[in-house]
Amino acid sequence: MSTFAPLERVEVCHAVAPRDRILVRGGDALDFLHRISASATGGPEPRHLVLTDDKGALIDAPLACPFEDGFRLVAGPGRGPDLAAWLEKWIIVEDVRVQPDPQEAWRLGEPELVAGDVVRPRTHAGPAVLLGGVAPSRVDLPEWDAANFRAGRLYSGPATASGPNPLELGWKDLIAFDKGCYIGQEVIARMDTYDKVRRGLSIAALVAPLAAGTALSVAGKKCGRVLSSVVLDEGVFAWVVVDKSLAAGVQLQAGNEAGGTLLQAPSPASG
């Protein structure tokens, strides 16, 4: 069974691309985000907002930073265009404008790597972010993803682009079950109320890289899917969502081929 060297700290930073920096402005910005988000939006502190479609599939969980005229959103890597289009879709008559954010930003492996205007969210769907300035130890996206995989940190971005349900990711504590209606509420509330979350987050060692969304099976029975593959020096690994009944060491198939080995039992929902 292939294994990899874990990290306790992520000592690198990654630039937030312009497409992943979004401003939501206007007199109705707060009410608008409250209406469409599964998360609580009130209060001055920055937080990640879980945004889902009407089937409960994750769109993104951007870091939302309040400012005087609205919110600065830092989308997961590569998720900005889809997030902006989805926000635009749900503007009805509100005084809301979705615009590019010109301010540079950096994702930080650890918040104390730099001094400056560091946003330290209490939520866990993404890292701390430096607004403005220049971060040290900058790496590209594959190296950033690899470092966070070694540290066991699943963030919004490539690993969530296939639209998993946030409850499958263990993000129950990011959802405000006591708030009013939001997009995807019926599905998420039903899954939670009737204990319908049958799959959980895990990691696997793969035979070869598999595309996000690839179906996985055990003994011919479908058991989950790949979220994203990660290539490390030790081999190919992946974030996966699989049946909670599976144990570490089970052999996974991808189609009719050997897919890999489950390295740990799926995590239960948090919160």
Side-chain angles (χ1 to χ4, degrees):
M1 182 186 302
S2 298
T3 59
F4 57 89
L7 288 178
E8 292 187 4
R9 291 174 54 84
V10 176
E11 302 281 354
V12 295
C13 305
H14 176 63
V16 180
R19 64 181 181 176
D20 294 329
R21 306 193 306 255
I22 299 170
L23 297 176
V24 179
R25 315 182 75 161
D28 296 327
L30 175 58
D31 290 342
F32 171 69
L33 290 178
H34 179 80
R35 175 170 66 83
I36 65 174
S37 171
S39 306
T41 53
E45 70 277 5
R47 66 188 70 192
H48 292 96
L49 302 180
V50 171
L51 304 170
T52 62
D53 66 16
D54 57 356
K55 295 180 174 59
L58 187 71
I59 301 296
D60 194 26
L63 175 61
C65 306
F67 69 103
E68 65 277 2
D69 189 33
F71 288 82
R72 172 170 282 111
L73 301 185
V74 179
R79 301 303 300 147
D82 286 346
L83 174 60
W86 188 81
L87 293 170
E88 293 275 9
K89 173 183 176 180
W90 292 103
I91 297 173
I92 303 174
V93 295
E94 294 99 339
D95 173 20
V96 175
R97 302 179 302 281
V98 176
Q99 303 171 337
D101 183 359
Q103 184 174 43
E104 291 189 348
W106 302 85
R107 299 181 180 91
L108 307 178
E110 306 295 338
E112 65 271 16
L113 288 178
V114 298
D117 189 10
V118 176
V119 179
R120 303 174 181 233
R122 295 182 181 179
T123 46
H124 52 82
V129 170
L130 172 67
L131 298 177
V134 178
S137 304
R138 291 163 283 177
V139 297
D140 60 15
L141 183 57
E143 190 171 348
W144 168 257
D145 284 343
N148 284 290
F149 183 86
R150 288 184 184 275
R153 302 175 184 178
L154 176 77
Y155 290 152
S156 177
T160 63
S162 61
N165 186 286
L167 296 178
E168 295 178 328
L169 303 179
W171 288 2
K172 182 177 177 178
D173 58 332
L174 301 183
I175 297 172
F177 287 93
D178 59 349
K179 67 178 292 186
C181 294
Y182 59 84
I183 300 165
Q185 181 197 28
E186 183 178 351
V187 174
I188 292 175
R190 185 170 61 247
M191 289 180 68
D192 180 65
T193 300
Y194 298 105
D195 194 23
K196 296 291 187 181
V197 185
R198 305 302 188 197
R199 292 174 175 169
L201 181 68
S202 187
I203 57 175
L206 300 182
V207 174
L210 295 173
T214 298
L216 299 172
S217 60
V218 173
K221 181 180 179 181
K222 187 175 179 181
C223 67
R225 63 193 181 282
V226 173
L227 294 181
S228 68
S229 297
V230 181
V231 179
L232 306 179
D233 292 340
E234 299 91 334
V236 182
F237 299 86
W239 292 109
V240 297
V241 168
V242 295
D243 291 348
K244 292 182 178 181
S245 61
L246 297 183
V250 70
Q251 298 301 301
L252 303 171
Q253 294 175 291
N256 295 322
E257 305 293 332
T261 304
L262 194 67
L263 295 183
Q264 63 185 33
S267 301
S270 61

